[in-house]
């Protein structure tokens, strides 16, 4: 089970265990609403790494509190997150929590947390397909972040939302023969047997046995 499957399974499990909350992937195709009427968890894959020594993944979750809600009221939900993650996979390695703070895009109090997994059964090298050609690699890691333009009301300094929002995927390839790859521009990429393809990729850096590319679009193959 990869990190994206883990995230999906975790959100589904939380929805079943904590029906009074709301659970969703952090970055969808629609703009997030400023109205949060109940405790809401938004999750994303922060990092995933396949390497000869094994697989590891990190999920970042943010708990959004409705207006008028005190941070202590989120404790049962945070406990449910840890319990569900621990039960979900034997590779659970722990959960870290941050302090409640104001989330700029929404103006709501939010509590960040991260769940880490690791396992020895999905390691090993593999291959990557770049621009339709297959290359052997020792491993890879994927980091996910969001970019956007802060929207601020006239006369205010605090942003109330994030405009032109988009997801950025940064993929690091280890053990890659990079000779000649600098000629690739706006290429597609597929990691191993993953059903997902990164589109419009461009190189961030190329060095001996290591390549890092950036993409803003990830498509999933359909049967």
């Amino acid at each position: 089970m990869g990190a994206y499957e883990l995230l999906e399974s975790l959100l589904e499990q939380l929805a079943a265990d904590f029906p009074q909350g709301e659970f969703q992937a952090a970055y969808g195709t629609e703009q997030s609403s400023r109205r949060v009427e109940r405790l809401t968890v938004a999750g994303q894959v922060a990092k995933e790494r396949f390497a000869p020594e094994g697989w590891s993944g990190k999920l970042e979750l943010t708990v959004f509190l409705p207006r008028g809600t005190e941070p202590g009221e989120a404790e049962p939900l945070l406990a449910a997150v840890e319990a569900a993650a621990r039960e979900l996979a034997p590779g659970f390695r722990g959960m870290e929590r941050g302090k409640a703070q104001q989330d700029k895009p929404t103006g709501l109090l939010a509590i960040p947390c991260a769940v880490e997994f690791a396992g020895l059964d999905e390691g090993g090298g593999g291959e990557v397909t770049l621009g339709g050609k297959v290359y052997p690699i020792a491993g890879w890691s994927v980091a996910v972040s969001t970019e956007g333009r802060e929207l601020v009301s006239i006369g205010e300094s605090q942003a109330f939302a994030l405009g032109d929002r988009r997801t950025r995927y940064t993929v690091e390839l280890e053990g890659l023969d990079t000779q000649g790859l600098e000629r690739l521009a706006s290429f597609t990429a597929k990691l191993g047997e993953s059903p997902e393809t990164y589109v419009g990729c461009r190189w961030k850096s190329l060095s001996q046995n290591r390549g890092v590319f950036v993409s803003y679009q990830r498509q999933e193959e359909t049967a």
Side-chain angles (χ1 to χ4, degrees), residues 1-12 25 27 43-48 50 55 57-59 88 140-145 167-171 191 194-196 198 218 220:
M1 182 184 293
Y4 292 97
E5 294 171 303
L6 274 173
L7 175 61
E8 183 178 356
S9 297
L10 178 60
L11 295 176
E12 289 178 354
Y27 306 129
Q44 65 173 330
V45 175
K47 192 169 185 179
E48 182 173 27
F50 288 82
W55 170 91
K58 181 179 181 180
L59 307 182
L88 186 62
W140 67 79
S141 63
V142 181
V144 186
S145 60
T167 302
R168 174 188 171 108
Y169 304 95
T170 302
V171 181
L191 304 174
S194 169
E196 300 161 347
Y198 297 90
R218 179 171 55 86
E220 185 170 346

Side-chain angles (χ1 to χ4, degrees), residues 5-223:
E5 294 171 303
L6 274 173
L7 175 61
E8 183 178 356
S9 297
L10 178 60
L11 295 176
E12 289 178 354
Q13 186 63 48
L14 287 170
D17 294 344
F18 203 90
Q20 61 270 44
E22 187 169 329
F23 306 91
Q24 61 189 43
Y27 306 129
T29 56
E30 300 178 357
Q31 294 292 328
S32 59
S33 171
R34 293 178 61 190
R35 296 186 60 189
V36 172
E37 298 179 350
R38 52 182 178 168
L39 289 171
T40 298
V41 173
Q44 65 173 330
V45 175
K47 192 169 185 179
E48 182 173 27
R49 185 173 187 268
F50 288 82
E53 63 271 20
W55 170 91
S56 63
K58 181 179 181 180
L59 307 182
E60 287 185 348
L61 306 171
T62 303
V63 180
F64 293 95
L65 282 64
R67 299 188 188 280
T69 302
E70 295 296 326
E73 297 179 52
E75 288 300 324
L77 174 55
L78 290 167
V81 170
E82 183 170 1
R86 189 182 300 275
E87 182 181 348
L88 186 62
F92 174 75
R93 289 295 181 268
M95 174 174 145
E96 296 182 359
R97 291 173 46 180
K99 294 183 179 180
Q101 55 190 345
Q102 187 178 45
D103 176 65
K104 285 186 177 181
T106 62
L108 299 170
L109 274 181
I111 302 174
C113 58
V115 183
E116 295 196 35
F117 300 87
L120 299 177
D121 57 339
E122 296 189 50
E127 59 186 30
V128 61
T129 305
L130 303 172
K133 185 177 178 180
V134 177
Y135 298 83
I137 56 174
W140 67 79
S141 63
V142 181
V144 186
S145 60
T146 188
E147 296 179 353
R149 176 172 50 87
E150 290 189 343
L151 304 179
V152 181
S153 298
I154 296 175
E156 297 183 3
S157 59
Q158 182 67 49
F160 65 83
L162 204 61
D164 301 326
R165 183 173 177 165
R166 59 180 182 171
T167 302
R168 174 188 171 108
Y169 304 95
T170 302
V171 181
E172 179 178 343
L173 306 173
E174 302 173 14
L176 172 69
D177 182 358
T178 59
Q179 185 175 0
L181 291 181
E182 69 278 359
R183 294 192 292 268
L184 280 179
S186 190
F187 55 92
T188 59
K190 182 178 178 181
L191 304 174
E193 298 299 322
S194 169
E196 300 161 347
T197 300
Y198 297 90
V199 181
C201 306
R202 59 178 178 81
W203 292 114
K204 181 180 181 182
S205 65
L206 282 172
S207 59
Q208 186 176 11
N209 295 324
R210 180 177 177 271
V212 180
F213 68 81
V214 173
S215 172
Y216 290 93
Q217 185 178 4
R218 179 171 55 86
Q219 298 177 342
E220 185 170 346
E221 297 177 0
T222 57

